[in-house]
């Protein structure tokens, strides 16, 4: 191979490598996810014998600092030794995390969203065999100036029971990186956004707490509300209390 041709090929490879780096560094998506975790999850109603349903969320996601876009994978699995029967997966966003779409799922009408949530989707999982899992690609946006939480709820096909609920569990960071292309967020971590002006300035607005004490929705009235979402596509009671305006 001539030296001129060798130089041309080498130049093409360098250009291709540079392009790939630019594309990957500008993308905040599922490829940034760590191992799946059931952190913040809890059994609500007892499942049939031999059925054990759980969900998984990535341990980390990455938010594009320019667009605020992110992506993650929501997984539901039957860890039991019998078929699950028809089940539904509900994916709901809270505060700074807004769910824009979930592949293969239908949007929950705004009037039927649970109190405090901003978005939600209903996914017909079907009948999971023992050891089987199904994953859904979730596109979302994250306002890094706020806390952000997500909730996964697994219900029977008729919506009468909630067999498992993960969250609302926060994604966040205690070390914001506004000058970087993207900000990595960890599951189960309260977000600590950079205050307006100087980072950590005393005059910055305090972020509402979303720690472990609030990691799960109350399993009383709120848990009952989740049950209604499956069969009728209804989440919270339509007689919702007025949403409080943040100061």
């Amino acid at each position: 191979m001539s030296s001129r041709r060798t130089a041309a090929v080498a130049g093409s490879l360098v250009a291709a490598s540079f392009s790939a780096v630019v594309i990957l560094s500008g993308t905040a998506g599922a490829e940034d996810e760590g191992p799946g975790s059931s952190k913040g999850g809890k059994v609500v109603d007892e499942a049939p014998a031999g059925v054990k349903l759980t969900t998984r969320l990535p341990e980390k996601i990455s938010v594009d600092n320019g667009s605020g876009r992110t992506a993650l994978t929501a997984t539901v699995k039957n860890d039991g030794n019998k078929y699950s029967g028809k089940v539904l997966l509900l994916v709901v966003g809270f505060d700074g995390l807004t769910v824009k779409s979930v592949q293969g799922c239908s949007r929950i009408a705004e009037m039927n969203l649970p109190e405090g949530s901003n978005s939600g989707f209903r996914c017909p999982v079907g009948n999971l065999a023992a050891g089987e899992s199904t994953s859904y690609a979730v596109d979302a946006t994250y306002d890094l100036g706020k806390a952000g939480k997500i909730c996964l709820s697994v219900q029977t096909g008729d919506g009468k029971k909630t067999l498992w609920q993960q969250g609302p569990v926060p994604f966040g960071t205690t070390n914001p990186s506004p000058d970087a292309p993207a900000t990595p967020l960890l599951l189960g971590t309260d977000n600590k956004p950079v205050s307006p002006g100087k980072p950590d300035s005393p005059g910055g607005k305090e972020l509402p707490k979303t720690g472990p004490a609030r990691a799960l929705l109350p399993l009383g009235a709120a848990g009952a509300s989740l049950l209604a979402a499956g069969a009728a596509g209804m989440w919270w009671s339509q007689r919702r209390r007025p949403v409080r305006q943040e100061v």
Side-chain angles (χ1 to χ4, degrees):
M1 182 181 293
S2 68
S3 59
R4 180 177 300 179
R5 185 177 179 186
T6 301
V9 171
S12 299
L13 291 174
V14 170
S17 300
F18 178 76
S19 298
V21 170
V22 171
I23 292 171
L24 291 175
S25 64
T27 301
E31 66 270 18
D32 297 319
E33 294 179 5
S37 172
S38 60
K39 180 181 292 187
K42 184 175 182 179
V43 172
V44 182
D45 295 312
E46 186 177 356
V51 177
K52 184 180 179 182
L53 293 164
T54 58
T55 56
R56 298 285 190 277
L57 285 166
E59 291 186 353
K60 66 178 181 177
I61 60 175
S62 183
V63 178
D64 186 283
N65 286 338
S67 65
R69 294 186 62 183
T70 186
L72 56 93
T73 301
T75 300
V76 57
K77 184 178 181 181
N78 180 9
D79 288 315
N81 55 24
K82 293 185 179 180
Y83 277 88
S84 67
K86 290 184 178 180
V87 292
L88 305 169
L89 174 67
L90 307 175
V91 183
V92 184
F94 292 81
D95 302 329
L97 193 156
T98 302
V99 181
K100 294 296 185 180
S101 67
V102 182
Q103 187 176 17
C105 306
S106 57
R107 183 183 296 274
I108 298 171
E110 184 176 356
M111 64 181 294
N112 295 329
L113 289 171
E115 184 177 349
S117 68
N118 55 45
S119 53
F121 285 78
R122 179 176 179 270
C123 308
V125 178
N127 190 8
L128 286 177
E132 186 179 6
S133 65
T134 300
S135 296
Y136 296 88
V138 179
D139 288 323
T141 58
Y142 195 111
D143 182 348
L144 292 168
K146 300 178 181 179
K149 298 187 287 294
I150 192 169
C151 181
L152 303 182
S153 178
V154 182
Q155 299 180 352
T156 53
D158 58 9
K160 292 182 178 180
K161 289 185 178 182
T162 295
L163 304 177
W164 171 269
Q165 182 177 306
Q166 184 176 8
V169 61
F171 273 105
T173 178
T174 57
N175 184 25
S177 50
D179 297 328
T183 297
L185 304 181
L186 298 178
L187 182 67
T189 302
D190 291 332
N191 193 41
K192 183 181 179 182
V194 176
S195 301
K198 296 181 180 179
D200 301 322
S201 64
K205 189 174 180 180
E206 185 179 356
L207 186 71
K209 299 296 182 184
T210 58
R214 292 178 57 190
L216 285 171
L217 285 176
L219 298 179
S225 301
L226 282 171
L227 299 182
M234 298 291 289
W235 273 79
W236 251 240
S237 168
Q238 294 189 21
R239 296 183 298 171
R240 290 166 47 186
R241 291 172 293 184
V243 177
R244 296 180 181 177
Q245 297 294 325
E246 294 186 2
V247 180

